Amino acid sequence: MSKKVLILVAVIIILLGGLGYYAYEHALDLEEIPVISSSSVNVLPAEDLSVIEEFCPLIVRAKVLRGSESYVEYFPDGTTKKYYTITPIKILEKYKDEVGLTEKTMKIAEHYYTEEIQGVKTRICRGDYRPLKVGKEYLLYLYFEPVCDNYTVFGIYQGKYPLSDEFLNGDVDELSLEVLEVGDEREGHYRRLAKEVQEKLRQMKASK
C-alpha cells in the first residue's frame, strides 16, 4: 500500500472518530437526565418583577453553551454542605449591565449538581430550580454570589425564564412545568412573575 493511501486512510479514520465523538457529546446534551429536588429552600419570594430588576446588576438574554462542571463540598459525615454547577453562556443581549461586561461569553453558577445515584446519572436541584438546557435561550436575572464566587440566578428559581416559542406566545397559566422549566413547590409564584416577564418582552418587541 502506497504512502499516500496510508495517509488518506488515517485521515478518514480521524474524521470518523471525530464525528463519532461529536455525535456522542450531542447525545449527552439531549439525553433526559432524571431530576430530583433537594429539601425545600427557604427563599424570599419577590413581590413582583420590579424587585428583581432593581436587585440584579445584570439582566441578559443568553444562549447556553456546553461545558458545565459540578462542584460539591461535603461535611465530614458525608452529607452535602454546598453545591453548584458552573455553566458557560453566550451573551446575546444585555438589558441591564452594572458590571461592565466586555466579553461575549461568561460563566454562571446554577443551583444544582450532577452525580450518579445507583448507577444512574441524576441532577439534584435546589428547590424549584431546573438546569439550563444546552443550545436554548433564556432571560436571566443575575447577581454575584460569594459562596460560589460567581454570578448566579436570582432567588433560586425566580430569575430564569426560557425564551421558547411556547413561553413567548402561550398563556402562562396553561403552560406545563416542563415548558416553564420549574418545580412545583412555588409554581403559583413563578407563574405570576412569568406573566410579568412575558408582558415586558412583548412590549419590548412591539416598541422596536
Side-chain angles (χ1 to χ4, degrees), residues 29-194:
D29 290 335
L30 298 178
E31 69 180 340
E32 290 298 324
I33 300 176
V35 171
I36 60 176
S37 292
S38 60
S39 56
S40 297
V41 176
N42 184 21
V43 58
L44 183 65
E47 184 176 345
D48 55 36
L49 187 62
S50 66
V51 174
I52 302 176
E53 291 175 332
E54 183 176 352
F55 182 85
C56 293
L58 194 57
I59 304 173
V60 300
R61 177 171 67 91
K63 183 176 182 178
V64 185
L65 305 176
R66 291 189 182 90
S68 294
E69 293 185 67
S70 291
Y71 296 85
V72 188
E73 188 175 328
Y74 298 94
F75 287 108
D77 64 0
T79 56
T80 305
K81 181 178 182 181
K82 68 177 181 180
Y83 60 82
Y84 53 89
T85 292
I86 299 298
T87 297
I89 60 173
K90 179 180 180 180
I91 308 299
L92 302 177
E93 192 170 0
K94 293 184 286 187
Y95 299 115
K96 180 181 179 181
D97 179 12
E98 295 180 349
V99 180
L101 282 182
T102 57
E103 301 295 328
K104 293 183 178 180
T105 62
M106 66 179 294
K107 293 182 178 181
I108 64 170
E110 294 194 71
H111 306 290
Y112 82 95
Y113 71 101
T114 302
E115 72 172 5
E116 285 197 4
I117 298 179
Q118 297 181 345
V120 178
K121 190 176 182 181
T122 306
R123 287 172 175 164
I124 295 85
C125 300
R126 182 172 285 115
D128 283 331
Y129 188 82
R130 294 297 179 266
L132 298 171
K133 296 181 179 179
V134 173
K136 304 296 183 182
E137 293 184 16
Y138 295 84
L139 176 63
L140 301 173
Y141 294 81
L142 306 170
Y143 75 101
F144 188 79
E145 174 54 70
V147 172
C148 50
D149 194 31
N150 258 290
Y151 282 87
T152 190
V153 174
F154 174 86
I156 308 298
Y157 64 91
Q158 301 173 64
K160 176 179 76 73
Y161 299 89
L163 297 180
S164 61
D165 289 338
E166 295 97 323
F167 177 79
L168 294 173
N169 303 313
D171 181 342
V172 170
D173 288 328
E174 301 297 325
L175 297 178
S176 67
L177 295 179
E178 287 72 24
V179 170
L180 293 173
E181 298 185 26
V182 71
D184 61 3
E185 185 177 346
R186 297 187 178 178
E187 171 189 346
H189 179 245
Y190 183 83
R191 287 185 188 274
R192 288 195 296 275
L193 292 174

